[in-house]
Amino acid sequence: MNSSAIRFLLGHVLAIEGILLLLPAIVGAFYGENSGLIFLLVAAVCIILGLLMTRRRPESNVFYLKEGCVITALSWIVLSVFGCLPFVISRQIPSFTDALFETISGFTTTGASILNDIESLDRCMLFWRSFTHWIGGMGVLVFLLAIIPLSGGSNINLMRAESPGPSVGKLVPKVRHTARILYEIYFGLTVLEMILLIVGDMPVFDAVTTAFGTAGTGGFGIRNDSLMSYSLYLQWVVTIFMVLFGVNFNLYYLLLFGHVKKALALEEVRYYLLIIVVSVGVIFIQILDIFKSVGESLTHAFFQVASIITTTGFSTTDFDMWPETSKTILVLLMFIGACAGSTGGGIKVSRFVVLFKTIAKELNSYIHPKSIRKISIDGKPVEHEVIRSINVYFITFMVVFSTSIFLISLEGKDMVTNFTAVAATINNIGPGLELVGPTKNFSGFRDFQKHVLMFDMLAGRLELFPLLILFKPAVWKEMLSKKA
Amino acid sequence: MNSSAIRFLLGHVLAIEGILLLLPAIVGAFYGENSGLIFLLVAAVCIILGLLMTRRRPESNVFYLKEGCVITALSWIVLSVFGCLPFVISRQIPSFTDALFETISGFTTTGASILNDIESLDRCMLFWRSFTHWIGGMGVLVFLLAIIPLSGGSNINLMRAESPGPSVGKLVPKVRHTARILYEIYFGLTVLEMILLIVGDMPVFDAVTTAFGTAGTGGFGIRNDSLMSYSLYLQWVVTIFMVLFGVNFNLYYLLLFGHVKKALALEEVRYYLLIIVVSVGVIFIQILDIFKSVGESLTHAFFQVASIITTTGFSTTDFDMWPETSKTILVLLMFIGACAGSTGGGIKVSRFVVLFKTIAKELNSYIHPKSIRKISIDGKPVEHEVIRSINVYFITFMVVFSTSIFLISLEGKDMVTNFTAVAATINNIGPGLELVGPTKNFSGFRDFQKHVLMFDMLAGRLELFPLLILFKPAVWKEMLSKKA
């Protein structure tokens, strides 16, 4: 294990967090909030620690997938631990566990909150809370790749460990350029949403934080009622941008460079849109009874479907009161999730496309045992290794999911709360049903259960394995013994 | 497709059902019930139809896995359709849908009932209802293999399609002998249980039907309160036999022929027993509060765990009133199920053993990418093809499961009812929670939902693919065109 490279990169991550923490400090200064100074303090600590850790260059620049995974997992833990300090020090979230929960929920773009009164927080705190979504959405290490010159080809392993989806396509031959292009698209779309929100008379502060929450598919709102009290226009802008941020970013890359035909042919995106249209259709019909107006029903149906499938988790209405079928659809969408290569969570549409094709192939093999037709996506055959890893991913997901449900159930809450609490965290959505429904929050869980859910949020965002291998003693032995 | 062999074998299945229907007719005569005559009538119809269909021998004796699957699926449907006629004709279950539900539930050894008042049925009807469990437990086609001389090696495909578990081991070189040995063990254990129940002062009729329900891991009781009103001794006898019938029958074969060491080393059986012990332990502690007595808590915990993991579904208490964790454990056990090669349902312990080993191997591959250690069970490496098919099985299971939940939710019942109704039918258990809890039944569903659940019961018992391929138009085209 290349421990010195791990140390070096973790140092960079800390230093970057220090710099990012200056933004809420500026916001605090702008609004004249004393708590803004706390961000300065924490930023200083991060930057100093980061500089100390990066003073000595690593002995070797080469690292493999295991180092990529370990760095990724540790980075996200370090980011969250330091990122929660302003909440604790300012006593705006006095409990460390709660503050850590809120911060992990932010970075992992989950948006599950333990706050009963969001509006009581200072502006700089609210800004940082939403900003963590934006940082977590594209990934800190991808950002690192975009700005820091790292050695040769091995850094694809970093990107592979942090990026969502079954396989990481480099858009361009160099990982560094790919990372930069991704961040440029991300930045551009976020600014565009801010502008459209401000044009629709949303206060600038609200527009900025809402855009962060949408872009990272996070879902932290700055009001206690999420987005319920905003105008129809604003709700539709957010709806459309949620859908856009749930799309595989390859699409935008292809569009930017004029490959329109190729972009429109992307199978994953087409299925993603199809699922949205069908779900909206069924729910729309079901909730017509509740809202009485076609427009309102359509707005709520579309908003909520987009919010859940992209794993954002904003809400404009209490969907826990909707009919069973609509709720069941929303729960199923939680697991499907957004496209690979987007900022969304869940199992990802492309994995399901491959899984369904695997089933079709299996059925076919009963009839034509000698057929050796390969599964293909976008016209290209899918490597056997990719299919295998998707299978294993799905199975591991279910095992982590079931284990979490069991651990959460120890507290004795009802089954729907337990089930949807785990579903909403491991898929990085935010709200679930019943006691964790859209008008409620996660403050009612005990500390042990909160830790399980924090694990689930990280496991979901990092796609399980980078986090799980930290539980293998062999990894720690290797890391501490400094052997390669 | 070898349609003539399908016709020929279906004819045999019908004829056998006709002969089996004579047993409840005898029971009816013994108790002087007029409804017993209906069994004679249906038996006659089955036998005549069966003879007509088997008059002409098939043009070819060769059939492949696809024929094996089609025969199996059609056999079970035909068995159920004719098997439900006595209920309908006698008007003891007037609705055809309900009667079919009850019969499929019987043959698939599910034990989910639509009857509000079980005790109002005639004895011959109750006998037939429980007898279907016994027939379905080991499988009709396995029975067919044991008694009818079929051509060469291709009939392993029949056994493969009907037997539970990921891979069918032939105990002895000849399939026919294997089938016979399995039935002898099955018959022996059933009779042993009957004797032990009768010794414990259970009425003979109760003992026979209860033994049928235990042996097939079915779970139909003949009393409205399932097994709640029987003595402690009887409850323990049933508990132990449930566990025994959930064991891989290979164990008994090995024991019978003196391979004790090999028998004790069977990995699947050891995990199966481990899961039982741990689950009983946790539930025992949790329900101590409810029952106040160590003995009673232990009896209920052990009975219920055995009943659910073996997918039998008998109950001695209303476990829907137990604490959340205990209920969650029971729901998880529903999915695990019994051992492969037993009469139990569920996903099967051996599949989970392989799945867990796959996850461990995947984690390991992150650290040692070049390692090529194979997964092994009982010291033997598991073929790559078997692992692949287990992965696909698990995925297909989840897809069928989710689709069913969605279809059931259209009726608007609560989520726990919907979830456990599907879990209890697709895993062939019987009772679920809430509206389908142990003191309630499935009569509250609409016809459409009942049909979905019937499909789930068959899909679970036949392990998905034999039933699913009936939905491929290509199969029907091939079958009707009579081409090979």
Side-chain angles (χ1 to χ4, degrees):
Chain A
M1 192 80 76
N2 190 343
S3 316
S4 59
I6 296 177
R7 187 230 336 124
F8 185 73
L9 281 166
L10 275 182
H12 272 295
V13 167
L14 257 181
I16 291 175
E17 180 165 30
I19 296 165
L20 294 173
L21 277 162
L22 296 176
L23 256 89
I26 295 170
V27 172
F30 182 82
Y31 288 105
E33 294 166 336
N34 289 332
S35 53
L37 293 172
I38 295 168
F39 285 100
L40 270 187
L41 173 77
V42 180
V45 172
C46 288
I47 292 172
I48 292 168
L49 264 175
L51 288 179
L52 285 176
M53 287 166 78
T54 50
R55 243 183 29 181
R56 237 185 35 226
R57 289 196 65 82
E59 289 124 48
S60 151
N61 264 329
V62 180
F63 54 88
Y64 301 100
L65 190 53
K66 62 177 166 185
E67 278 97 352
C69 288
V70 171
I71 294 171
T72 307
L74 291 180
S75 296
W76 283 71
I77 293 170
V78 165
L79 272 176
S80 304
V81 169
F82 284 86
C84 82
L85 292 180
F87 298 126
V88 183
I89 297 171
S90 68
R91 304 200 56 75
Q92 305 225 345
I93 306 181
S95 143
F96 179 75
T97 304
D98 282 359
L100 189 62
F101 186 97
E102 198 81 2
T103 313
I104 290 181
S105 174
F107 279 119
T108 58
T109 74
T110 307
S113 179
I114 48 76
L115 291 171
N116 284 311
D117 184 11
I118 299 166
E119 291 165 26
S120 70
L121 257 61
D122 283 349
R123 293 245 155 171
C124 57
M125 296 289 160
L126 287 176
F127 177 87
W128 174 237
R129 192 167 160 268
S130 293
F131 192 41
T132 54
H133 277 335
W134 197 81
I135 300 168
M138 191 51 79
V140 187
L141 294 161
V142 173
F143 182 66
L144 208 63
L145 290 176
I147 55 162
I148 294 180
L150 276 172
S151 72
S154 61
N155 50 14
I156 181 77
N157 287 321
L158 259 191
M159 199 159 163
R160 203 169 277 159
E162 196 182 46
S163 297
S167 72
V168 172
K170 286 190 280 186
L171 299 176
V172 288
K174 281 209 168 167
V175 172
R176 198 176 162 189
H177 288 172
T178 303
R180 199 166 273 183
I181 292 169
L182 286 176
Y183 255 98
E184 280 164 7
I185 296 171
Y186 189 47
F187 192 83
L189 278 174
T190 310
V191 171
L192 185 64
E193 185 186 348
M194 283 181 199
I195 294 170
L196 287 173
L197 289 176
I198 292 168
V199 166
D201 275 340
M202 195 187 250
V204 174
F205 184 78
D206 298 36
V208 171
T209 50
T210 304
F212 285 158
T214 318
T217 65
F220 275 151
I222 55 163
R223 298 196 182 179
N224 288 334
D225 65 356
S226 192
L227 271 73
M228 295 187 196
S229 49
Y230 291 110
S231 71
L232 260 188
Y233 165 83
L234 294 176
Q235 292 186 356
W236 274 97
V237 169
V238 174
T239 303
I240 287 162
F241 274 88
M242 286 193 291
V243 174
L244 291 178
F245 281 107
V247 166
N248 192 326
F249 274 42
N250 280 349
L251 182 95
Y252 304 121
Y253 177 78
L254 291 171
L255 286 179
L256 274 178
F257 290 84
H259 307 296
V260 180
K261 222 173 168 183
K262 244 181 164 177
L264 294 179
L266 284 176
E267 251 181 274
E268 181 177 29
V269 179
R270 296 169 82 163
Y271 281 111
Y272 166 74
L273 296 175
L274 180 72
I275 297 169
I276 292 180
V277 169
V278 172
S279 307
V280 171
V282 177
I283 293 180
F284 166 67
I285 294 169
Q286 275 220 316
I287 60 172
L288 257 178
D289 278 355
I290 302 176
F291 295 105
K292 309 286 178 202
S293 122
V294 170
E296 213 180 333
S297 301
L298 192 66
T299 307
H300 287 309
F302 199 0
F303 186 95
Q304 227 46 74
V305 166
S307 174
I308 298 291
I309 195 173
T310 62
T311 72
T312 309
F314 283 139
S315 52
T316 54
T317 180
D318 187 2
F319 54 79
D320 197 22
M321 312 300 287
W322 286 4
E324 278 308 319
T325 309
S326 299
K327 286 199 281 183
T328 304
I329 291 176
L330 291 180
V331 171
L332 292 176
L333 291 182
M334 287 187 180
F335 290 93
I336 296 174
C339 297
S342 74
T343 62
I347 292 176
K348 307 285 176 316
V349 175
S350 60
R351 284 210 179 88
F352 277 101
V353 174
V354 172
L355 292 176
F356 271 91
K357 289 190 176 184
T358 311
I359 296 174
K361 194 184 162 216
E362 180 77 5
L363 275 177
N364 216 48
S365 80
Y366 275 73
I367 304 168
H368 308 291
K370 280 164 197 156
S371 153
I372 42 161
R373 220 176 41 180
K374 270 207 163 185
I375 291 172
S376 61
I377 290 225
D378 296 336
K380 276 176 278 180
V382 182
E383 289 294 321
H384 168 255
E385 179 53 29
V386 173
I387 295 176
R388 200 196 58 80
S389 84
I390 290 176
N391 288 345
V392 176
Y393 184 82
F394 186 75
I395 290 158
T396 314
F397 183 92
M398 285 300 163
V399 169
V400 173
F401 187 80
S402 315
T403 313
S404 304
I405 296 262
F406 169 71
L407 293 173
I408 298 295
S409 81
L410 289 171
E411 204 183 311
K413 292 204 180 351
D414 69 286
M415 223 169 251
V416 174
T417 298
N418 298 339
F419 188 91
T420 57
V422 175
T425 46
I426 199 169
N427 293 311
N428 301 132
I429 292 151
L433 299 172
E434 297 286 340
L435 297 179
V436 292
T439 60
K440 312 210 174 70
N441 61 60
F442 286 71
S443 60
F445 283 103
R446 294 203 199 122
D447 275 7
F448 174 73
Q449 273 69 24
K450 281 179 188 157
H451 280 102
V452 173
L453 296 173
M454 285 188 231
F455 173 85
D456 286 342
M457 290 192 271
L458 284 170
R461 175 60 183 83
L462 302 180
E463 308 226 309
L464 307 177
F465 294 106
L467 197 64
L468 288 177
I469 67 164
L470 289 190
F471 286 83
K472 279 191 85 87
V475 169
W476 292 94
K477 251 183 245 167
E478 263 199 54
M479 205 144 50
L480 299 174
S481 76
K482 286 201 161 196
K483 270 191 295 190
Chain B
M1 192 79 77
N2 189 342
S3 316
S4 60
I6 296 176
R7 188 228 341 120
F8 185 72
L9 282 166
L10 276 181
H12 272 294
V13 167
L14 256 183
I16 291 174
E17 180 166 33
I19 294 164
L20 295 172
L21 278 162
L22 296 176
L23 256 88
I26 295 169
V27 173
F30 181 82
Y31 288 105
E33 294 166 338
N34 290 331
S35 53
L37 293 171
I38 294 167
F39 286 100
L40 270 186
L41 174 77
V42 180
V45 172
C46 289
I47 293 172
I48 292 168
L49 265 174
L51 288 179
L52 285 175
M53 286 167 77
T54 50
R55 243 179 33 177
R56 238 185 33 226
R57 290 197 66 83
E59 289 125 47
S60 149
N61 264 328
V62 180
F63 53 88
Y64 301 100
L65 190 53
K66 64 177 166 184
E67 278 97 353
C69 288
V70 171
I71 294 171
T72 306
L74 292 181
S75 294
W76 283 72
I77 293 170
V78 165
L79 272 175
S80 304
V81 169
F82 284 87
C84 83
L85 293 180
F87 297 125
V88 183
I89 298 172
S90 67
R91 305 200 53 76
Q92 305 226 343
I93 306 180
S95 141
F96 178 77
T97 303
D98 282 359
L100 189 62
F101 185 97
E102 198 80 3
T103 312
I104 289 180
S105 174
F107 279 119
T108 58
T109 75
T110 307
S113 179
I114 47 77
L115 290 171
N116 285 311
D117 183 11
I118 299 166
E119 292 165 24
S120 70
L121 256 60
D122 284 349
R123 294 244 154 171
C124 57
M125 295 289 160
L126 287 176
F127 177 88
W128 175 238
R129 190 164 160 271
S130 293
F131 192 43
T132 54
H133 278 335
W134 198 81
I135 300 167
M138 191 51 78
V140 188
L141 294 161
V142 173
F143 183 67
L144 208 64
L145 290 176
I147 55 162
I148 293 180
L150 277 171
S151 72
S154 60
N155 50 16
I156 183 75
N157 286 323
L158 258 192
M159 202 159 160
R160 204 168 277 158
E162 197 182 44
S163 296
S167 72
V168 172
K170 285 190 281 185
L171 300 176
V172 288
K174 282 206 167 169
V175 172
R176 198 179 161 186
H177 288 170
T178 303
R180 201 168 270 183
I181 292 169
L182 286 176
Y183 253 99
E184 280 164 7
I185 297 171
Y186 189 47
F187 192 83
L189 279 173
T190 311
V191 170
L192 186 63
E193 184 187 350
M194 283 182 199
I195 293 170
L196 287 172
L197 290 175
I198 293 168
V199 165
D201 276 341
M202 195 187 250
V204 174
F205 184 78
D206 297 36
V208 170
T209 49
T210 304
F212 284 158
T214 319
T217 65
F220 275 152
I222 57 164
R223 298 195 182 179
N224 288 335
D225 64 358
S226 192
L227 270 73
M228 295 187 197
S229 48
Y230 291 110
S231 71
L232 261 188
Y233 165 83
L234 295 176
Q235 293 186 355
W236 275 96
V237 169
V238 174
T239 304
I240 288 161
F241 273 89
M242 285 193 292
V243 174
L244 291 177
F245 280 107
V247 167
N248 192 325
F249 274 43
N250 281 349
L251 181 95
Y252 303 121
Y253 177 77
L254 291 171
L255 286 179
L256 274 177
F257 289 84
H259 307 296
V260 181
K261 222 171 167 183
K262 245 181 162 175
L264 294 179
L266 286 175
E267 252 183 273
E268 180 177 30
V269 178
R270 296 168 82 164
Y271 281 111
Y272 167 72
L273 295 176
L274 181 72
I275 297 169
I276 293 180
V277 170
V278 172
S279 308
V280 171
V282 177
I283 293 181
F284 166 66
I285 294 168
Q286 275 220 315
I287 62 173
L288 257 178
D289 278 355
I290 302 178
F291 296 107
K292 308 288 179 199
S293 123
V294 170
E296 212 179 334
S297 301
L298 192 66
T299 308
H300 286 310
F302 199 0
F303 187 95
Q304 227 46 75
V305 166
S307 174
I308 298 292
I309 194 174
T310 62
T311 72
T312 309
F314 282 138
S315 53
T316 55
T317 181
D318 187 3
F319 55 80
D320 197 22
M321 313 300 287
W322 287 3
E324 278 309 318
T325 311
S326 298
K327 285 199 281 183
T328 304
I329 292 176
L330 291 180
V331 171
L332 293 176
L333 291 182
M334 287 186 179
F335 290 93
I336 295 175
C339 297
S342 74
T343 61
I347 292 176
K348 306 285 174 321
V349 175
S350 60
R351 284 209 179 87
F352 277 101
V353 174
V354 172
L355 292 176
F356 272 91
K357 289 190 176 185
T358 310
I359 295 174
K361 195 182 160 218
E362 181 77 4
L363 275 177
N364 216 50
S365 80
Y366 275 73
I367 304 168
H368 309 291
K370 280 165 196 157
S371 153
I372 45 162
R373 220 176 42 178
K374 269 207 163 185
I375 291 172
S376 62
I377 290 225
D378 297 335
K380 275 173 279 181
V382 182
E383 291 292 322
H384 167 257
E385 178 53 30
V386 174
I387 295 175
R388 200 195 58 79
S389 82
I390 289 176
N391 288 347
V392 176
Y393 184 81
F394 186 75
I395 291 157
T396 314
F397 183 91
M398 285 302 165
V399 169
V400 173
F401 187 80
S402 315
T403 314
S404 304
I405 297 262
F406 169 71
L407 293 174
I408 298 295
S409 81
L410 289 171
E411 204 184 311
K413 292 203 180 351
D414 69 286
M415 225 170 249
V416 175
T417 298
N418 297 339
F419 188 91
T420 59
V422 175
T425 46
I426 199 169
N427 292 311
N428 301 134
I429 291 151
L433 298 172
E434 297 285 341
L435 296 180
V436 292
T439 60
K440 311 209 176 70
N441 62 61
F442 286 70
S443 59
F445 284 104
R446 292 200 201 126
D447 275 7
F448 174 72
Q449 272 70 21
K450 281 178 188 157
H451 279 102
V452 173
L453 295 173
M454 285 188 232
F455 172 84
D456 286 342
M457 292 192 270
L458 284 170
R461 175 61 182 84
L462 303 180
E463 309 226 308
L464 308 177
F465 294 106
L467 197 64
L468 289 177
I469 66 166
L470 289 190
F471 287 82
K472 279 191 84 88
V475 169
W476 292 96
K477 251 183 243 164
E478 263 199 53
M479 203 144 53
L480 299 174
S481 75
K482 287 200 160 197
K483 269 192 292 186

